[in-house]
Amino acid sequence: DETRHLVNAANLALMKPGQTLVRGRNAALYSKHLFSGFLRCGECGGAVTVVSGGYGSPRYGCLHSSKNGREACANRFTIRARVADATLLAGLRAELLKPETVAHVTALLAIELNAVIDQRPALRDRAEAALCDAQRRLQNLVTALEEGAGGATLRDAISSREADVQRLQGELEALAEPLERKLAVMPGWVRQQLDDVAGLLTEAPERTKAEFKRLGVSFTLHPVREVPRPYLRAEGTTSFAQVLSGQYSSSPTTDATDPRRAR
């Protein structure tokens, strides 16, 4: 099962509701607004995107409500895109760098690494058998070439078998690596990886949006109608396990850690 976490985000102050709708391509990929395409309405579940302000002062709001009126969705709250983007990004970066996040991702990776360690004897046996078979097949092709057989097809087959031998030798070398020592240094390494991702989120919007998609970032904005000033409460989810996805090949594991919620 995919591990998902709820991400901290500060309350967002409200401004006046919008009147117009901005249409375009997939906002998660093409919008210049950082979180456009990653926001949902807490009342109707529809998309929250730029609905007013244009290039002067764009504002996020419920697209369904903006397009179809209060009868479709009562959430008429909007917020300046630059305010929401800065607040949500700060919350996401802070969550990435929390000690609890480092500990959680380290635990996931340790489970995966230990699974690989347990599987190593069987993996090594299979790799050694495959290597022997590839070397035998390669030798048969070389012998045929030496005995006068020729042609581009035979030479291509030899090149393919040589590549197989090289790949399998690399696999055996990797299986000989002492992974147990990595468990001791893993927390520091995970912390550095998370720090790198947090740093990436300050780069160009297109790269940041690509990282949002990789991490499965999604925020839901809930209108809170308090007096004297209403506000939006942001709740977000992401899969921090994706930060280190594919580091080791092992069977899928199920995370038993309870998700953390903040409002």
Side-chain angles (χ1 to χ4, degrees):
D1 292 340
E2 182 182 26
T3 306
R4 302 195 66 81
H5 280 280
L6 294 177
V7 182
N8 289 321
N11 291 333
L12 306 177
L14 293 177
M15 305 297 285
K16 294 180 181 179
Q19 301 297 326
T20 60
L21 170 65
V22 176
R23 295 183 176 88
R25 294 179 291 179
N26 186 339
L29 297 176
Y30 297 108
S31 173
K32 69 175 184 177
H33 304 293
L34 195 57
F35 281 90
S36 189
F38 300 95
L39 303 176
R40 311 299 297 180
C41 174
E43 292 212 350
C44 71
V48 169
T49 187
V50 171
V51 296
S52 69
Y55 289 99
S57 183
R59 310 181 71 83
Y60 288 133
C62 173
L63 179 61
H64 193 37
S65 181
S66 178
K67 183 177 181 180
N68 301 304
R70 192 181 300 274
E71 295 76 13
C73 178
N75 181 11
R76 303 290 289 172
F77 296 174
T78 67
I79 182 171
R80 293 184 188 275
R82 64 182 181 182
V83 173
D85 285 353
T87 303
L88 295 173
L89 183 60
L92 181 58
R93 293 185 73 248
E95 193 75 17
L96 277 167
L97 299 178
K98 276 187 174 182
E100 301 97 301
T101 302
V102 175
H104 175 75
V105 177
T106 299
L108 289 178
L109 191 58
I111 291 172
E112 192 172 354
L113 185 58
N114 280 316
V116 172
I117 292 173
D118 292 341
Q119 295 168 12
R120 274 191 158 192
L123 292 173
R124 189 180 296 110
D125 288 345
R126 288 199 293 269
E128 288 176 347
L131 177 59
C132 288
D133 183 63
Q135 289 173 329
R136 178 181 58 78
R137 291 173 181 268
L138 174 60
Q139 185 56 54
N140 290 341
L141 293 171
V142 171
T143 299
L145 183 64
E146 291 174 344
E147 291 177 350
T153 301
L154 181 58
R155 288 191 293 272
D156 289 344
I158 290 176
S159 296
S160 178
R161 292 303 175 192
E162 287 175 338
D164 288 342
V165 168
Q166 186 175 9
R167 174 181 56 80
L168 290 165
Q169 287 174 336
E171 288 183 10
L172 284 170
E173 289 175 3
L175 288 169
E177 182 185 4
L179 295 181
E180 290 80 359
R181 289 187 298 179
K182 289 191 173 184
L183 291 170
V185 300
M186 192 180 294
W189 182 80
V190 168
R191 190 178 300 108
Q192 182 61 55
Q193 302 305 304
L194 292 170
D195 187 65
D196 289 347
V197 171
L200 180 62
L201 298 184
T202 65
E203 296 189 6
E206 58 271 16
R207 294 197 64 190
T208 302
K209 281 176 168 287
E211 198 66 9
F212 284 173
K213 288 185 68 66
R214 185 173 78 89
L215 297 178
V217 169
S218 176
F219 280 94
T220 300
L221 303 185
H222 301 273
V224 180
R225 299 173 177 86
E226 288 189 357
V227 178
R229 186 169 183 171
Y231 60 90
L232 288 169
R233 186 184 71 243
E235 291 183 353
T237 63
T238 186
S239 178
F240 287 148
Q242 294 302 314
V243 173
L244 305 174
S245 62
Q247 290 295 326
Y248 299 99
S249 297
S250 65
S251 301
T253 58
T254 300
D255 170 46
T257 303
D258 291 333
R260 290 168 286 126
R261 178 181 297 270
R263 297 180 177 180

